[in-house]
Amino acid sequence: MGSAEEDYNFVFKVVLIGDSGVGKTNLLSRFTRNEFNHDSRTTIGVEFSTRTILVGDAMVKAQIWDTAGLERYRAITSAYYRGAVGALVVFDITKHQTYDVVDRWLKELYDHAEASIVVMLVGNKTDLAQAREVPMEEAKMFADNKGLLFVETSALDSTNVEEAFKTILKEIFYKVQKQKQRSSQSNTVSLASESPASTAPAQAERRPCCVAL
Amino acid sequence: LAHSFIKDRSKASGLPMKSKKASSFHEFARSTSDAWDIGDDEDEDFSSSSSSSLQTLNSKVAKATAAQVLENHSKLRVKPERVWSLLEEACVRSPLQKQQSLPLRPVIPLVARISDQNASGAPPMTVREKTRLEKFRQLLSSHNTDLDELRKCSWPGVPREVRPVTWRLLSGYLPANSERRKLTLQRKREEYFGFIQQYYDSRNEEHHQDTYRQIHIDIPRTNPLIPLFQQPLVQEIFERILFIWAIRHPASGYVQGINDLVTPFFVVFLSEHVEEDVENFDVTNLSQDVLRSIEADSFWCMSKLLDGIQDNYTFAQPGIQKKVKALEELVSRIDEQVHNHFRKYEVEYLQFAFRWMNNLLMRELPLRCTIRLWDTYQSEPEGFSHFHLYVCAAFLIKWRKEILDEEDFQGLLMLLQNLPTIHWGNEEIGLLLAEAYRLKYMFADAPNHYRR
């Protein structure tokens, strides 16, 4: 019965956004299945995958939503931001125009998601360094100015993919912890630890989105 | 926008009315700047003259055919179900359970064994099939093809041998009058290549750059696993078809998903010239002329199809939103248990059915099944725009056991986006269509039936 058998303490919903063709689907498949597909089909609407990792002493289930990059879908994909606690905004370091539109993606993200959402800017395709159009320093500076995490990855050769997801999940986790300390009544945080996830999966999963930061 | 759509269930009152749809789309089409398309078909009497008789034809004919299909398949039913549960365990369960154990995901076999129509091993050609083929040949060669009769014959599937010409007729591209066919084809093909000459160079101009760039990115990703579609010549054909269609329809333009819709036409029209395996065929073996006719015919037939579902691809995709909502409404009436199961685990229909509508189930089915499905869609009035909804409902309910077995949100979503149809063939599609027809018959004529 799938993931119900896993134990986990938290479910974090993370969305992948960015222009068409920057490699969102392959970042997802590299992280959740250690796969890269040269021939992946265009993502239609939204696709979904999960992976559970250990953060500190807690099992965190990352519920990752891969959205289509085409503008036309945005009216529909906006529904998918609901409940997201993290977002990877992906661009292709070899295509400057995919970096130019990061601002637009950020705007859309903040229009639809919680203000406290943890955001990471991801420059993908470092394996194509010889075709680089976006200098790392430029992107890094942009991310710093906007208060975003930043990393460069290659879904193809695996560089930094684990790190990217783990970093953002950790960041979310710490935010949740801090928030928990602030308010001892943690009824907004979805904690499954008191009742093992295997016996009551629905309880934990019903509110993956309720980790209010 | 999208939020209110999802939440706003209270207003969902009944299914879309089939008769209204066409006219409201016409109104819509007139109000958009795509109007320069209107008039294209003025000399083609097909659509107007036959549409009235379509409605009557449909309920009688399709009902009988559906009953027949159901009956024919009831005996075969046990076998495919068996195979299912086996494959399922192999293909679906294990990756679900082992999300973390790394490269263990089974390799999915070629999606499209195009030529392999009898996936589940039915005998090559029965007497009945021979008679059917004969009937088609008769209809097609008569001076004035009886389109109602052709639809009736095509509903349960068109024999491969006559599919190309049947599709041209059913889509309204080719006139029923056999004397006019040759000229019409010639004129339409010239017209298409006229567009190419006139507009294709503009793909690099600023106002069309984005459109072309997106098409260019998507073509290699359209049928990535089939060698046929990796050939430069084929990719160029797809690019031209999609670009010309997009700039002639600025109200929608190019939207991902439309690229998939060229494929069945291209494959069917190509099959006319290929004896062996289509999916591995090298198109450089064909003459320029033949390739050009395949390209133009694919363009026009795809255009006809899209005319009926253009609101799927206009801003915010209202057609899809409406249909997903209608699907939800329908399922809530025909299978409350499945519907409540989704509610319990907070699965929204949009999360899986968006793709079902946007790509007409092409992502969920092997290509051979899509081709078979389209035999029926083109024989049904508003097959692509309306009947498809019932097919989606039947498709969903087909998996009810698997759905009810999943007891969490992620399990459900993983199941719904990877439904194990890889071995499906004509039998499964026949059953699906019969069930869809039954649903349509029950609900279209009695929208309040089973109302909660």
Side-chain angles (χ1 to χ4, degrees):
Chain A
M1 218 152 289
S3 42
E5 277 153 29
E6 296 167 8
D7 277 337
Y8 51 85
N9 312 112
F10 294 95
V11 179
F12 292 156
K13 175 172 171 180
V14 174
V15 292
L16 278 164
I17 55 178
D19 253 27
S20 189
V22 297
K24 298 179 293 295
T25 301
N26 272 316
L27 281 170
L28 175 66
S29 67
R30 177 61 81 196
F31 178 65
T32 57
R33 300 190 296 271
N34 198 20
E35 281 179 5
F36 180 90
N37 194 348
H38 279 281
D39 313 315
S40 59
R41 299 169 92 176
T42 51
T43 305
I44 301 296
V46 72
E47 283 165 26
F48 168 95
S49 204
T50 67
R51 182 176 154 193
T52 304
I53 63 161
L54 191 66
V55 177
D57 55 359
M59 291 304 283
V60 168
K61 173 177 283 224
Q63 188 188 87
I64 303 158
W65 293 84
D66 176 18
T67 56
L70 185 62
E71 183 143 9
R72 177 59 45 88
Y73 289 137
R74 291 193 191 171
I76 285 177
T77 51
S78 63
Y80 301 119
Y81 290 117
R82 197 185 321 131
V85 291
L88 300 186
V89 184
V90 188
F91 68 94
D92 174 352
I93 64 155
T94 72
K95 292 210 170 62
H96 209 281
Q97 80 224 17
T98 65
Y99 173 73
D100 296 336
V101 294
V102 162
D103 251 335
R104 251 166 48 206
W105 285 106
L106 286 172
K107 184 180 180 309
E108 180 183 276
L109 180 65
Y110 291 127
D111 279 352
H112 295 96
E114 302 278 330
S116 54
I117 189 167
V118 179
V119 184
M120 176 182 261
L121 182 65
V122 179
N124 191 33
K125 306 199 185 179
T126 54
D127 51 286
L128 299 174
Q130 73 284 357
R132 180 189 281 274
E133 286 183 6
V134 183
M136 183 161 85
E137 301 70 38
E138 187 188 335
K140 173 89 178 72
M141 209 148 75
F142 175 86
D144 286 348
N145 285 338
K146 297 260 175 184
L148 317 175
L149 301 165
F150 174 70
V151 70
E152 284 196 345
T153 58
S154 163
L156 187 137
D157 66 22
S158 301
T159 306
N160 279 345
V161 176
E162 288 276 316
E163 289 78 352
F165 283 98
K166 284 183 174 162
T167 306
I168 194 169
L169 292 171
K170 257 185 228 159
E171 190 68 22
I172 297 167
F173 179 74
Y174 293 140
K175 263 200 174 175
V176 172
Q177 295 296 100
K178 253 190 251 161
Q179 202 245 351
K180 236 173 68 183
Q181 285 164 5
R182 270 206 306 273
S183 67
S184 50
Q185 292 165 304
S186 57
N187 56 345
T188 49
V189 178
S190 128
L191 259 180
S193 47
E194 316 112 60
S195 56
S198 50
T199 58
Q203 221 112 24
E205 305 213 3
R206 259 170 75 187
R207 350 179 66 204
C209 357
C210 298
V211 189
L213 298 176
Chain B
L1 251 173
H3 282 236
S4 60
F5 157 63
I6 293 170
K7 287 288 164 201
D8 191 7
R9 282 181 185 132
S10 51
K11 278 193 214 153
S13 59
L15 296 160
M17 266 86 37
K18 56 176 181 178
S19 51
K20 269 195 183 165
K21 266 201 149 177
S23 65
S24 64
F25 180 71
H26 256 260
E27 280 161 30
F28 164 79
R30 234 173 284 133
S31 68
T32 66
S33 42
D34 293 9
W36 61 299
D37 255 357
I38 291 174
D40 265 7
D41 304 326
E42 64 214 338
D43 52 350
E44 273 158 38
D45 45 338
F46 164 79
S47 40
S48 51
S49 71
S50 55
S51 59
S52 54
S53 49
L54 258 177
Q55 302 289 344
T56 30
L57 160 96
N58 174 54
S59 37
K60 282 183 206 155
V61 164
K63 185 181 156 199
T65 333
Q68 200 177 43
V69 173
L70 267 181
E71 196 191 299
N72 288 343
H73 285 285
S74 56
K75 301 155 207 157
L76 292 165
R77 206 166 180 166
V78 187
K79 200 175 110 205
E81 299 245 338
R82 270 261 168 88
V83 182
W84 260 323
S85 53
L86 284 177
L87 271 180
E88 226 167 75
E89 263 148 54
C91 302
V92 177
R93 301 291 163 141
S94 61
L96 286 188
Q97 282 164 354
K98 309 203 172 181
Q99 276 309 296
Q100 307 161 82
S101 53
L102 297 168
L104 253 175
R105 200 160 163 254
V107 179
I108 297 175
L110 258 196
V111 185
R113 296 282 307 279
I114 296 160
S115 47
D116 182 13
Q117 283 293 310
N118 283 314
S120 35
M125 201 187 247
T126 61
V127 178
R128 212 179 129 257
E129 282 166 334
K130 272 188 189 144
T131 323
R132 261 170 55 74
L133 182 58
E134 214 27 65
K135 171 84 182 163
F136 269 95
R137 291 219 157 108
Q138 242 175 48
L139 275 168
L140 295 170
S141 61
S142 77
H143 174 71
N144 224 330
T145 296
D146 181 344
L147 290 172
D148 286 348
E149 194 61 21
L150 187 65
R151 277 187 212 99
K152 179 176 148 186
C153 289
S154 300
W155 205 96
V158 181
R160 205 168 37 83
E161 297 85 343
V162 291
R163 187 175 268 136
V165 61
T166 304
W167 275 27
R168 285 192 196 96
L169 281 159
L170 291 179
S171 67
Y173 172 48
L174 206 58
N177 183 323
S178 62
E179 278 168 19
R180 289 178 47 214
R181 285 184 202 164
K182 205 174 157 207
L183 261 174
T184 303
L185 278 184
Q186 199 186 333
R187 186 173 55 79
K188 291 305 252 184
R189 287 168 183 169
E190 274 167 19
E191 192 181 346
Y192 169 73
F193 282 99
F195 295 152
I196 299 282
Q197 218 166 21
Q198 200 176 345
Y199 303 113
Y200 198 55
D201 284 340
S202 73
R203 68 189 182 281
N204 296 316
E205 288 165 17
E206 212 188 324
H207 57 296
H208 287 149
Q209 241 176 21
D210 284 348
T211 298
Y212 181 69
R213 190 189 305 128
Q214 189 64 50
I215 291 171
H216 190 70
I217 299 178
D218 286 353
I219 294 303
R221 306 192 284 173
T222 299
N223 298 290
L225 298 175
I226 306 173
L228 172 69
F229 298 101
Q230 300 317 307
Q231 298 169 38
L233 264 180
V234 174
Q235 299 197 348
E236 285 160 24
I237 289 173
F238 271 60
E239 282 190 12
R240 284 192 294 268
I241 291 175
L242 290 168
F243 181 76
I244 296 298
W245 188 87
I247 63 164
R248 280 171 51 84
H249 297 81
S252 63
Y254 171 73
V255 178
Q256 288 179 325
I258 294 180
N259 52 331
D260 275 352
L261 306 184
V262 189
T263 308
F265 292 116
F266 181 81
V267 165
V268 166
F269 296 142
L270 177 66
S271 71
E272 215 168 7
H273 308 276
V274 177
E275 288 297 316
E276 63 266 48
D277 203 5
V278 175
E279 69 191 88
N280 290 302
F281 182 73
D282 177 1
V283 294
T284 54
N285 292 325
L286 294 176
S287 72
Q288 177 88 358
D289 252 16
V290 165
L291 275 175
R292 282 166 68 95
S293 60
I294 294 171
E295 176 173 346
D297 293 2
S298 301
F299 171 83
W300 287 115
C301 288
M302 183 198 75
S303 301
K304 294 274 184 191
L305 190 174
L306 282 167
D307 283 348
I309 54 168
Q310 208 190 334
D311 64 343
N312 279 4
Y313 305 107
T314 49
F315 183 73
Q317 305 192 261
I320 292 185
Q321 306 221 24
K322 249 187 290 173
K323 279 169 225 170
V324 171
K325 207 168 176 179
L327 177 68
E328 177 169 2
E329 168 77 11
L330 184 58
V331 173
S332 77
R333 288 200 258 162
I334 60 178
D335 199 328
E336 218 178 344
Q337 213 183 340
V338 165
H339 183 72
N340 289 337
H341 196 71
F342 284 159
R343 289 184 82 145
K344 181 174 173 194
Y345 296 108
E346 300 188 350
V347 171
E348 289 169 9
Y349 286 73
L350 199 62
Q351 287 161 348
F352 61 91
F354 179 85
R355 191 169 74 183
W356 294 12
M357 302 302 172
N358 191 68
N359 291 45
L360 295 174
L361 286 176
M362 282 188 69
R363 289 293 183 92
E364 330 306 320
L365 297 170
L367 184 51
R368 59 173 181 274
C369 293
T370 295
I371 290 173
R372 166 62 194 86
L373 194 61
W374 286 20
D375 289 342
T376 304
Y377 281 7
Q378 293 182 95
S379 319
E380 270 276 326
E382 295 175 64
F384 293 99
S385 58
H386 184 67
F387 188 61
H388 179 66
L389 170 66
Y390 294 96
V391 173
C392 287
F395 186 65
L396 183 66
I397 300 311
K398 166 95 216 148
W399 309 101
R400 75 183 305 276
K401 187 183 167 302
E402 289 80 357
I403 289 168
L404 295 174
D405 278 351
E406 290 294 340
E407 288 186 328
D408 65 23
F409 175 83
Q410 14 265 335
L412 279 165
L413 266 247
M414 296 295 284
L415 170 72
L416 289 166
Q417 67 187 16
N418 301 295
L419 290 165
T421 60
I422 204 76
H423 65 287
W424 273 33
N426 286 348
E427 287 162 23
E428 288 82 4
I429 296 298
L431 280 170
L432 184 71
L433 286 165
E435 177 62 16
Y437 183 78
R438 194 182 68 83
L439 292 175
K440 181 188 146 174
Y441 194 69
M442 267 168 70
F443 290 99
D445 298 335
N448 291 319
H449 199 43
Y450 277 64
R451 204 78 218 268
R452 280 175 305 156

